[in-house]
Amino acid sequence: GESVGLHLPTLSVQEGDNSIINCAYSNSASDYFIWYKQESGKGPQFIIDIRSNMDKRQGQRVTVLLNKTVKHLSLQIAATQPGDSAVYFCAEGRTFGTYKYIFGTGTRLKVLA
Amino acid sequence: EAQVTQNPRYLITVTGKKLTVTCSQNMNHEYMSWYRQDPGLGLRQIYYSMNVEVTDKGDVPEGYKVSRKEKRNFPLILESPSPNQTSLYFCASSLDRGRAGPSYNEQFFGPGTRLTVL
């Protein structure tokens, strides 16, 4: 499949353990944040999003935490499975005035059997 | 099936030869966007469109054009491609869910177009 990044930071996690992927965002005016998953040879796939009026949001096996004070976002994956192996991107944007989005460079998650 | 389609999936061309990459979505989404993805740089937004006849520049619009004549289509045009436009391109579409509710603008991405400019 196509390479999405040659020197991405990599997180290796044992199958069944929890994973935490971190992201720092840059724009204090951003009020909307999204996590995407990209498998080899495919387009990014939406995982979960959060608005800035929330600190935490949970989905199925995933939780996003937002710390606006230090401009930090994290994605927690519970009971990591082999199918979770992929590159994960965070993105920041705004909910009014523009549909511009800034994406992080990504983290590669490797799930060890 | 709800989807975003792109054509072609792979293209090798030469410098200066105009090309168009098509993007179509069948979800009646207002918002569409084009991104390029390069190793080490992540996804960078080229152009976006908030609705028919409404487009705006993203972070890397130089050398690209777009048009939004119909809601479902958002073609990316390279009038005079150069080797630095060799990249993996993604189209995306989404709904604007407004101010209420936890979600806002989750984007659905196409499968990508691998472009090589010689």
Side-chain angles (χ1 to χ4, degrees):
Chain A
E2 291 105 349
S3 168
V4 299
L6 297 177
H7 301 293
L8 288 175
T10 298
L11 174 67
S12 296
V13 175
Q14 206 68 37
E15 182 179 354
D17 287 352
N18 297 335
S19 303
I20 299 176
I21 301 171
N22 296 304
C23 176
Y25 66 92
S26 57
N27 189 349
S28 300
S30 296
D31 65 351
Y32 177 61
F33 306 90
I34 320 102
W35 280 101
Y36 290 93
K37 171 186 181 182
Q38 187 175 25
E39 295 173 285
S40 182
K42 296 184 178 179
Q45 176 186 359
F46 171 84
I47 301 173
I48 192 168
D49 57 354
I50 188 169
R51 299 186 192 237
S52 61
N53 60 356
M54 303 172 70
D55 297 324
K56 177 180 179 179
R57 189 175 180 207
Q58 289 183 290
Q60 187 178 11
R61 277 201 310 118
V62 295
T63 301
V64 55
L65 298 177
L66 175 62
N67 185 331
K68 295 180 286 292
T69 304
V70 295
K71 293 192 284 187
H72 183 268
L73 194 65
S74 69
L75 176 71
Q76 301 179 359
I77 304 173
T80 311
Q81 302 169 357
D84 295 327
S85 292
V87 176
Y88 290 80
F89 296 96
C90 65
E92 59 178 297
R94 298 180 68 178
T95 58
F96 62 92
T98 179
Y99 280 110
K100 268 192 176 181
Y101 287 97
I102 303 294
F103 280 71
T105 51
T107 297
R108 187 181 306 279
L109 175 65
K110 286 188 175 179
V111 181
L112 308 172
Chain B
E1 180 190 355
Q3 60 182 348
V4 178
T5 57
Q6 295 179 228
N7 282 293
R9 293 290 315 279
Y10 301 90
L11 179 61
I12 300 174
T13 189
V14 296
T15 299
K17 185 177 181 182
K18 181 179 178 181
L19 66 93
T20 299
V21 184
T22 64
C23 173
S24 183
Q25 50 94 4
N26 62 0
M27 295 169 279
N28 202 35
H29 287 168
E30 300 96 349
Y31 168 73
M32 297 185 76
S33 188
W34 275 103
Y35 296 88
R36 61 178 289 174
Q37 187 172 41
D38 302 289
L41 297 176
L43 283 155
R44 293 181 292 166
Q45 195 173 31
I46 303 170
Y47 270 96
Y48 63 91
S49 169
M50 292 177 280
N51 216 321
V52 174
E53 303 291 3
V54 182
T55 63
D56 207 347
K57 296 177 181 178
D59 281 333
V60 289
E62 295 78 19
Y64 304 95
K65 285 175 57 178
V66 292
S67 69
R68 187 91 182 273
K69 294 185 172 58
E70 307 164 279
K71 198 171 187 178
R72 63 182 293 127
N73 296 323
F74 190 44
L76 178 70
I77 302 154
L78 284 72
E79 295 270 3
S80 184
S82 62
N84 65 11
Q85 292 179 298
T86 293
S87 188
L88 180 58
Y89 291 86
F90 290 101
C91 180
S93 75
S94 63
L95 275 175
D96 182 338
R97 298 188 184 277
R99 302 266 180 265
S103 283
Y104 171 61
N105 192 240
E106 62 267 39
Q107 295 182 69
F108 294 84
F109 282 80
T113 295
R114 170 69 69 183
L115 173 65
T116 301
V117 184
L118 302 174

